[in-house]
Amino acid sequence: MTDRPRVAVFRPDDERLTAAVETLDELGVEAVPDPMLAVEPTGAVPDPADWLVFTSKTGVELAAEAGWSPTDSRPDDAGTRPALACIGPSTADAARAAGWTVDLIPDEYSSTGLVAAFDAVGVDGVGIEVARSDHGSPVLLEGLRDAGARVNETVLYELVRPAGSGASTEAAAAGDLAGACFTSSLTVDHFLDAAAERDVREAAVAGLNDAVVGCIGHPTRETAEERGVAVDVVPAEATFRTLAEAVVAELDV
């Protein structure tokens, strides 16, 4: 038994969840792992373009596992390759591990940050291929098109809620959570869907509102608040570690 504060985490059930649990343990709290996302590959690979955009480590890994590389896209007589943009260091690290050269990482690890980075580069008339999940933010596509780019989206994978998820919703409903770390809008919606399936949605929201709720990014915060969940912290850097540190700091462990 432990009397440490309990903090829910909703990362996919792979090395990301393992790392998140370890991070929370290092910070002195008890992790309540409850994966709210599972990856279902579509089998698609990116289409040719002047620029290629990956928004997640998962997308990079799926494309690489399929045997695809940036050199397969837009080869020309000069042998040039398309430029590659990645949102965030983990996505960029995965691309480099696959042997790809990363040309652009936005200062802000978000769709908004990437649009701003492309605005600085200038993409009027440029073809941009966005390779990501089926739940990508429309902000990225709309922003790039507003900047004059020719944009195509390829869905590399779908994000679904794993069967059996939702134990954390009952903990929240019982007042047994001190905190929760939401890493995307979809984790918020899947948490609430799981709570509804267990007939504890109202109580789970009340439990969250008595806890410290942290969200990665303002779109995630907006989703939570629209659903009635009060958000306490949104870290400046969009990484799980900074999110966990911000939540635990509010707990004053």
Side-chain angles (χ1 to χ4, degrees):
M1 298 293 292
T2 178
D3 57 1
R4 294 188 300 170
R6 306 180 76 218
V7 177
V9 56
F10 311 110
R11 308 225 74 184
D13 191 9
D14 54 25
E15 71 278 2
R16 286 168 290 186
L17 185 63
T18 300
V21 169
E22 291 173 350
T23 296
L24 289 169
D25 183 64
E26 291 170 9
L27 294 172
V29 299
E30 178 189 351
V32 180
D34 192 6
M36 286 293 169
L37 297 176
V39 173
E40 290 189 354
T42 64
V45 295
D47 284 346
D50 301 305
W51 273 92
L52 302 170
V53 174
F54 284 91
T55 63
S56 70
K57 176 176 179 283
T58 298
V60 170
E61 291 174 342
L62 289 175
E65 288 168 6
W68 179 93
S69 80
T71 57
D72 298 327
S73 184
R74 214 203 83 188
D76 58 24
D77 293 340
T80 60
R81 62 169 180 83
L84 179 63
C86 293
I87 291 182
S90 62
T91 306
D93 287 346
R96 295 185 184 108
W100 308 345
T101 299
V102 177
D103 300 282
L104 179 65
I105 304 172
D107 292 332
E108 178 187 331
Y109 308 147
S110 68
S111 293
T112 301
L114 189 55
V115 169
F118 271 119
D119 278 340
V121 171
V123 291
D124 188 24
V126 172
I128 300 179
E129 165 73 357
V130 177
R132 60 182 186 174
S133 79
D134 62 326
H135 285 278
S137 167
V139 169
L140 179 56
L141 305 186
E142 293 168 359
L144 294 176
R145 287 176 178 139
D146 288 344
R150 296 177 286 104
V151 182
N152 182 68
E153 178 185 33
T154 295
V155 174
L156 301 180
Y157 59 100
E158 298 176 350
L159 292 170
V160 299
R161 180 162 60 87
S165 63
S168 65
T169 68
E170 295 184 349
D176 290 338
L177 287 184
C181 297
F182 290 102
T183 52
S184 68
S185 291
L186 201 54
T187 58
V188 175
D189 284 335
H190 283 181
F191 175 92
L192 296 175
D193 288 345
E197 283 186 1
R198 294 168 183 250
D199 296 322
V200 295
R201 175 169 174 147
E202 184 176 345
V205 170
L208 288 180
N209 289 342
D210 287 335
V212 175
V213 173
C215 292
I216 284 184
H218 291 288
T220 306
R221 174 186 58 78
E222 290 167 3
T223 297
E225 291 177 345
E226 287 169 0
R227 310 296 190 264
V229 177
V231 176
D232 300 284
V233 293
V234 179
E237 184 179 344
T239 65
F240 182 79
R241 173 163 285 278
T242 57
L243 173 64
E245 290 173 344
V247 168
V248 172
E250 288 292 316
L251 292 174
D252 195 24
V253 174

